[in-house]
């Protein structure tokens, strides 16, 4: 999907349609060099050529208008008002007061697709890096990918970070640089040699005129590729003069040290040591951007290769922590040639494994992290245990329980009576989750309780996240949700941007545990956008599948399938067993909604291509029981229920026990079934899980109606309809209304339910009011366009309005 491009094409089509109707239309397509303006002009010429011969349409296209004097055209436009003339102007600058459509950059996903079309088989990691370097500029994508060397394609060297010398974009930047006045070039040089120098800082420099700063500001693009390219084009004398000026002007500190060092002759290890010390201090205070910068600069000034490698590794780790995995990968490629020391290789594996958990094959990440843990055990036990803990997380992402068991056995072998609390938490989490996945709930409980207790006392995002997960497995909903919330807060407050999507995933799942669908939806939306921003594509898939499951549980089949399809390629390509199992569960729920229970059973049996996450499969057991009962497969229902009952009893969680009784009722008959249904209803009320209560009431009422007890069935169904409507579970609400009609009670169709919008409708209304198209709303909320259109019609009906303009006024 070309985010924003549809709006521009619609605007161009509107100009052509206006001209075809006999009235002049004009539009300026404004965007940077290489943004695709010329392509839009070509598309307009093709569209105009397809008009019926004799329509007398005249199309005037003006490219690179910022280089031309358009006075003659602007003077002529009023005279063309009643003529079939379309004027399209492409420019890098505004053109008078003419209607303008901004040509926006491509989004990341589209950029990656463009690269794969240009170079089929381009490694995913390299495509991701090049797309981020190009910053959404289509021509930059083309020029960068065509400049790739065999070493870069093979992953031996870092991807390009500047535009190729022979490219058109670099030539344009070169020309603009050479056209600057000497004062403007001095101002630009100061900004290019130090990322923290901006226009506001330059204005305060006495030697620079405001006009020079303003002229330079036109070239101060924030994208790293533009800055790096301009710096490469800047004459050496200008760079040295800028370093000298900053070395004199800046106060003592790492920035001044760096600029002094650049100008110093000979070895500069003393300055490197000072920068490394500053980087370590920045890391302690959670300023990972400064830590990455200063570790990288220290490495550049370091003479001894092994020390340089270690400083590069520190920079790579800091880039990962701040949510820039592509920068981390680029730095890691510089490390391998510098040192063959075992500890350096292990540290590289640790950082690389951490990156791959979020954006690579998780099974590869797990084995890399296990290898790092083993190598570091006798050197740095804390780091070794951390590596092992994340190896377990990677194995869980893969849904590879054989590998997870191997990691857990290592954890059990390593664990000591005098273990430090943080290490004990990580090891116990591995031991407890492995036992739980294997169905040994009695063995799992002590280790998991230890994790929860330690997480309450220990600081740090990782401790809270693992503690919340342990409480979730134990069925302690309150502590699970509280720890998950604290995990999100700790990740954000400590600057650990890389951990935020992971923490939000746990917040979404713990909210779902207590029927907090709106909170789960909010957390999953935050998570998918945070994961996208930080290049953690595996976490994107996790959150998309959670969003799909939330839709499927409400009976919204189209939305669920749309979200599953959006994540399917990533799940399949990298073997994301956990995401795949959630997706299979969501798909099975869709099959049940569409009355295909046999398909739902098959879906869960072959959950993913590479792995099935047993914990997720356990959560899906109630739906497996329902599918088996409806398919006439009592043996399958009994097996699934036996596993779920054992887990529910071991945790003692009221919400899980309620669902367990509902399932037992489904496989029972007569008085026994009614007894289990009644107990399930009681426990749902105690747990406060209203959506699951409504489903239990529906199933119970259906059984009662068939047993000729319509009065009690109607009581349950009225309550169920109210709960389903509250959760926007339209499919389930309609099923409950159909059951009411079957009891002999006349039921009116679903009504307006008042002017109040549902949470999802509020989201859609807000985005539409901000000017988003239906396609853009669908992309933002991971909905199908048809679903957005359906919701928008309902929004207009509820608010008694007829247009988007009225919606904007209503929401003001």
């Amino acid at each position: 999907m070309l985010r924003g491009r549809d709006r521009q094409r619609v605007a161009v089509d509107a100009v052509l349609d206006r001209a075809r109707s006999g009235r002049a239309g004009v539009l300026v397509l404004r965007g940077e060099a290489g943004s695709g303006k010329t392509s839009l002009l070509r598309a307009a010429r093709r569209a105009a050529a397809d008009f019926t011969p004799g329509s007398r349409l005249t199309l005037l296209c003006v490219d690179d208008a910022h280089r031309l004097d358009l006075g003659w055209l602007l003077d002529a436009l009023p005279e063309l008002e009643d003529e079939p003339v379309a004027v399209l102007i492409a420019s890098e600058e505004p053109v008078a007061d003419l209607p303008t459509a901004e040509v926006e950059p491509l989004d990341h996903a589209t950029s990656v697709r463009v690269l794969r079309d240009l170079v089929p088989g381009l490694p995913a990691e390299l495509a991701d890096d090049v797309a981020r370097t190009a910053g959404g500029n289509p021509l930059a994508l083309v020029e960068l990918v065509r400049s790739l060397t065999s070493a870069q394609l093979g992953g031996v060297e870092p991807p390009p970070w500047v535009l190729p010398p022979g490219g058109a974009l670099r030539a344009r930047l070169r020309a603009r640089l050479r056209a600057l006045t000497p004062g403007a070039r001095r101002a630009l040089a100061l900004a290019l040699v130090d990322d923290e120098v901006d226009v506001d800082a330059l204005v305060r420099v006495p030697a620079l005129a405001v006009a020079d700063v303003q002229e330079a500001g036109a070239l101060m693009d924030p994208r790293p590729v533009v800055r790096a390219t301009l710096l490469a084009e800047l004459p050496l004398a200008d760079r040295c003069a800028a370093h000298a000026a900053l070395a004199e002007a800046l106060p003592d500190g790492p920035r001044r040290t760096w600029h002094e060092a650049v100008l110093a002759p000979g070895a500069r290890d003393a300055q490197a040591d000072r920068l490394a010390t500053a980087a370590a201090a920045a890391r302690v205070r959670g300023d990972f951007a400064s830590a990455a910068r200063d570790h990288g600069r220290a490495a550049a000034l370091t003479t001894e290769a092994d020390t340089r490698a270690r400083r590069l590794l520190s920079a790579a780790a800091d880039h990962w922590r701040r949510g820039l995995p592509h920068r981390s990968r680029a730095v890691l490629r510089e490390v391998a040639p510098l040192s063959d020391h075992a500890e350096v290789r292990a540290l590289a594996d640790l950082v690389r494994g951490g990156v791959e958990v979020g954006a690579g094959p998780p099974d590869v990440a797990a084995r890399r992290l296990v290898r790092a843990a083993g190598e570091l055990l006798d050197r740095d036990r804390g780091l070794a245990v951390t590596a092992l803990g994340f190896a377990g997380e990677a194995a869980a992402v893969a849904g590879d329980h054989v590998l997870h068991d191997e990691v857990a056995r290592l954890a059990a072998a390593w664990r000591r009576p005098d273990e430090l609390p943080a290490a004990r938490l990580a090891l116990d989490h591995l031991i407890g989750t492995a036992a739980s996945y294997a169905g040994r709930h009695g063995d799992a409980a002590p280790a998991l309780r230890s994790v929860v207790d330690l997480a309450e006392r220990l600081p740090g995002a990782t401790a809270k996240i693992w503690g919340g997960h342990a409480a979730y497995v134990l069925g302690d909903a309150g502590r699970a949700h509280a720890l998950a919330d604290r995990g999100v807060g700790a990740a954000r407050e400590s600057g650990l941007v890389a951990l935020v999507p992971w923490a939000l995933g746990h917040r979404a799942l713990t909210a779902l545990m207590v029927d907090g669908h709106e909170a789960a939806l909010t957390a999953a939306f935050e998570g998918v956008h945070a994961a996208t921003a930080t290049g953690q594509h595996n976490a994107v898939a996790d959150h998309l599948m959670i969003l799909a499951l939330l839709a499927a549980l409400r009976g919204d089949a189209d939305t669920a399938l749309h979200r599953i399809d959006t994540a399917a390629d990533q799940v399949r390509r990298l073997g994301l067993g956990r995401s795949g199992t959630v997706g299979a569960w969501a798909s099975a729920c869709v099959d049940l909604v569409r009355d295909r229970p046999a398909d739902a059973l098959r879906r869960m049996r072959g959950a993913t291509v590479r792995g099935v996450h047993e914990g997720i499969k356990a959560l899906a057991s109630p739906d497996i029981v329902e599918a088996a009962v409806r398919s006439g497969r009592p043996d399958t229902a009994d097996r699934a229920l036996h596993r779920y009952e054992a887990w529910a009893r071991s945790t003692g969680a009221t919400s899980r026990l309620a669902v367990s009784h509902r399932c037992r009722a489904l496989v029972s008959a007569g008085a026994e079934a009614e007894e289990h249904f009644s107990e399930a209803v009681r426990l749902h009320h105690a747990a406060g899980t209203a959506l699951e209560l409504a489903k239990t009431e529906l199933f119970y009422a259906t059984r009662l109606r068939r047993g000729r007890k319509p009065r009690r069935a109607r009581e349950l169904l009225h309550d169920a309809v109210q709960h389903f409507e509250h959760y926007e579970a339209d499919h389930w609400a309609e099923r409950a209304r159909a059951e009411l009609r079957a009891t002999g009670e006349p039921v009116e169709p679903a009504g307006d339910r008042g002017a109040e919008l549902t949470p999802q409708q509020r989201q859609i209304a807000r985005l539409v009011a901000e000017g988003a198209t239906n396609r853009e709303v669908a992309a933002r909320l991971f909905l199908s366009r048809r679903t957005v259109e359906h919701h928008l019609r309902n929004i207009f009906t509820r608010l008694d309005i007829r247009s988007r303009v009225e919606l904007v006024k209503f929401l003001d």
Side-chain angles (χ1 to χ4, degrees):
M1 176 179 6
L2 302 178
R3 179 172 171 79
R5 296 301 161 105
D6 291 316
R7 186 185 297 135
Q8 295 137 17
R9 287 170 179 162
V10 167
V12 169
D13 289 343
V15 171
L16 295 177
D17 289 343
R18 180 181 171 89
R20 186 166 54 177
S21 68
R23 302 193 66 196
V26 61
L27 180 69
V28 177
L29 297 168
R30 182 171 178 264
E32 64 177 352
S35 61
K37 303 183 299 296
T38 302
S39 296
L40 287 167
L41 294 181
R42 291 195 194 103
R45 287 198 294 271
R46 289 194 296 271
D50 291 337
F51 285 168
T52 304
S55 65
R56 290 189 311 109
L57 169 67
T58 300
L59 172 63
L60 174 62
C61 294
V62 183
D63 207 351
D64 286 337
H66 53 281
R67 299 182 178 183
L68 306 174
D69 180 1
L70 297 182
W72 62 274
L73 177 59
L74 298 176
D75 291 340
L77 285 177
E79 300 176 13
L80 300 174
E81 180 64 28
D82 296 321
E83 298 295 329
V85 176
V87 181
L88 297 177
I89 302 170
S91 175
E92 294 179 22
E93 304 295 338
V95 178
D97 293 322
L98 297 180
T100 300
E102 296 290 337
V103 183
E104 300 169 358
L106 302 180
D107 61 36
H108 184 76
T110 303
S111 297
V112 169
R113 285 199 294 273
V114 169
L115 290 170
R116 288 178 178 165
D117 288 342
L118 291 168
V119 183
L122 186 69
E125 211 174 73
L126 184 58
D128 184 71
D129 290 347
V130 172
R132 289 184 180 278
T133 299
N137 185 291
L139 186 54
L141 285 171
V142 173
E143 294 186 344
L144 285 166
V145 79
R146 287 178 178 169
S147 74
L148 291 172
T149 65
S150 57
Q152 289 168 332
L153 286 166
V156 177
E157 292 182 357
W161 53 279
V162 296
L163 294 167
L169 275 180
R170 183 155 176 171
R172 289 200 182 200
L173 288 173
R174 185 186 304 126
R176 292 184 67 185
L177 180 62
R178 290 175 178 174
L180 293 177
T181 63
R185 194 161 61 245
R186 283 196 299 275
L188 182 63
L190 289 169
L192 292 176
V193 300
D194 193 316
D195 290 344
E196 296 179 48
V197 173
D198 56 17
V199 173
D200 292 337
L202 290 173
V203 169
R204 296 192 294 270
V205 177
L208 295 176
V210 172
D212 291 335
V213 174
Q214 291 173 339
E215 185 182 354
L219 269 175
M220 289 183 194
D221 193 299
R223 288 171 297 181
V225 67
V226 176
R227 296 179 65 93
T229 302
L230 286 169
L231 185 60
E233 288 289 336
L234 201 66
L236 177 61
D238 289 353
R239 295 202 299 270
C240 289
H243 282 297
L246 289 169
E248 183 177 348
L250 289 171
D252 285 340
R255 288 173 63 201
R256 178 169 185 164
T257 298
W258 165 248
H259 293 297
E260 290 174 340
V262 169
L263 300 170
R268 293 164 289 184
D269 290 284
Q271 293 96 326
D273 291 342
R274 289 204 296 274
L275 286 170
T277 300
R283 180 184 281 184
V284 168
R285 64 177 182 266
D287 183 1
F288 296 109
S290 295
R293 178 199 68 197
D294 293 336
H295 273 131
R297 288 176 172 178
L301 300 176
T302 300
T303 303
E304 200 272 317
D306 188 75
T307 304
R308 185 181 182 193
R310 291 170 185 271
R311 286 171 173 170
L312 284 171
L313 282 171
S314 294
D318 293 327
H319 282 308
W320 173 79
R321 291 183 177 102
R322 64 188 288 232
L324 297 176
H326 62 292
R327 296 284 296 276
S328 184
R329 288 194 295 262
V331 173
L332 285 169
R333 291 188 185 102
E334 298 181 50
V335 173
L338 294 175
S339 174
D340 61 355
H341 193 282
E343 185 179 5
V344 170
R345 291 198 306 270
L347 291 170
D349 276 339
L350 174 57
V351 179
R352 180 77 183 195
V355 170
E356 287 173 341
V357 172
D363 55 343
V364 174
R367 297 194 182 281
R368 191 186 299 277
L369 287 163
V370 167
R371 185 172 65 206
E375 192 63 52
L376 291 169
L377 183 59
D378 294 329
R379 293 181 169 90
D380 188 325
R381 184 175 176 81
L383 271 183
V385 170
T386 297
L388 198 66
F390 279 97
E393 180 67 23
V397 171
D400 188 336
H401 290 286
V402 173
L403 181 53
H404 192 278
D405 284 343
E406 290 177 16
V407 176
R409 283 196 296 272
L410 277 176
W414 286 11
R415 197 182 185 289
R416 302 186 308 206
D418 60 343
E419 200 72 70
L420 291 175
R424 188 163 74 250
L425 182 149
L427 297 173
D428 282 353
H429 182 259
L430 286 168
I431 295 165
T433 52
S436 179
Y437 296 153
R440 304 192 313 274
H441 303 298
D443 296 336
L448 294 175
R449 290 193 191 102
S450 164
V451 172
V452 175
D453 291 341
L454 287 166
E456 295 279 12
R457 303 197 305 269
L458 289 172
T462 302
K464 305 304 180 191
I465 294 168
W466 278 334
H469 178 250
Y472 180 83
V473 176
L474 288 169
D476 188 341
R479 293 177 87 183
H481 197 57
L483 283 167
D485 270 347
R486 289 162 64 187
V488 174
R492 286 174 170 156
E493 290 164 11
S494 62
L496 288 166
V497 178
L499 299 186
V500 170
W502 181 35
L504 284 167
H506 284 280
R507 175 191 273 177
L509 288 173
T510 57
L512 185 58
M513 183 182 182
V514 291
D515 258 12
H517 281 242
E518 187 170 353
L521 199 68
T522 299
F525 273 127
E526 284 184 28
V528 78
H529 293 302
T532 300
T534 56
Q536 297 188 62
H537 310 304
N538 297 349
V540 170
D542 266 345
H543 286 283
L544 281 173
M545 290 307 192
I546 292 172
L547 288 169
L549 178 63
L550 286 164
L553 292 173
R554 295 196 314 273
D556 186 350
D558 288 343
T559 296
L561 292 177
H562 178 77
R563 290 168 176 171
I564 291 166
D565 288 344
T566 303
D569 178 66
Q570 179 79 1
V571 170
R572 184 171 49 251
R573 187 165 48 84
L574 292 180
L576 307 181
R578 181 171 68 191
S579 294
T581 308
V582 177
W585 180 12
S587 297
C589 291
V590 169
D591 288 329
L592 290 173
V593 165
R594 294 180 170 176
D595 199 23
R596 299 197 298 249
D599 290 344
L601 278 183
R602 284 193 293 272
R603 192 89 61 181
M604 287 309 299
R605 277 201 300 269
T608 62
V609 176
R610 299 191 197 176
V612 176
H613 191 284
E614 292 299 331
I616 301 299
K617 191 172 181 180
L619 289 169
S621 294
D623 296 293
I624 298 174
V625 171
E626 181 190 346
V629 169
R630 288 168 60 182
S631 301
R633 301 283 297 277
D635 291 344
T636 302
D638 283 339
R639 285 194 299 272
L641 179 53
H642 177 75
R643 289 194 300 270
Y644 189 79
E645 283 181 328
W647 183 38
R649 283 196 300 266
S650 74
T651 66
T654 306
S655 58
R656 290 174 186 162
L657 289 170
V659 174
S660 175
H661 277 286
R662 180 178 78 202
C663 291
R664 180 53 65 186
L666 290 175
V667 301
S668 304
E672 182 184 356
E674 288 197 31
E675 182 181 336
H676 284 293
F677 272 130
S678 296
E679 182 63 6
V681 169
R682 185 187 71 81
L683 291 170
H684 282 309
H685 278 294
T689 48
L691 183 59
E692 290 300 327
L693 166 64
K695 288 183 180 179
T696 297
E697 289 174 326
L698 173 59
F699 295 160
Y700 188 10
T702 301
R703 189 73 66 92
L704 289 169
R705 178 184 63 78
R706 291 172 181 170
R708 299 184 180 181
K709 298 178 180 178
R711 181 179 298 176
R712 176 62 177 140
R714 283 194 286 268
E715 292 174 3
L716 292 167
L717 289 168
H718 281 297
D719 195 50
V721 168
Q722 290 182 353
H723 289 307
F724 286 139
E725 288 182 343
H726 173 77
Y727 281 94
E728 300 179 71
D730 294 341
H731 162 81
W732 291 103
E734 186 50 45
R735 273 188 61 178
R737 282 190 286 268
E739 277 295 322
L740 267 173
R741 286 190 287 270
T743 66
E745 179 170 318
V747 180
E748 295 182 3
D752 180 20
R753 303 202 301 269
E756 184 180 351
L757 299 181
T758 67
Q760 184 153 281
Q761 288 172 340
R762 286 199 299 271
Q763 284 183 309
I764 292 171
R766 177 178 53 79
L767 291 171
V768 169
E770 290 172 357
T773 65
N774 287 3
R775 185 185 293 272
E776 289 169 334
V777 173
R780 179 72 180 172
L781 301 181
F782 303 99
L783 302 168
S784 67
R785 288 180 66 186
R786 185 172 66 178
T787 300
V788 173
E789 290 161 4
H790 168 75
H791 279 299
L792 201 53
R793 285 194 298 270
N794 287 342
I795 290 167
F796 285 1
T797 299
R798 287 193 176 194
L799 301 181
D800 194 24
I801 58 177
R802 297 183 180 181
S803 70
R804 290 170 180 252
V805 174
E806 289 183 59
L807 179 61
V808 172
K809 292 178 180 177
F810 185 91
L811 296 178
D812 275 348

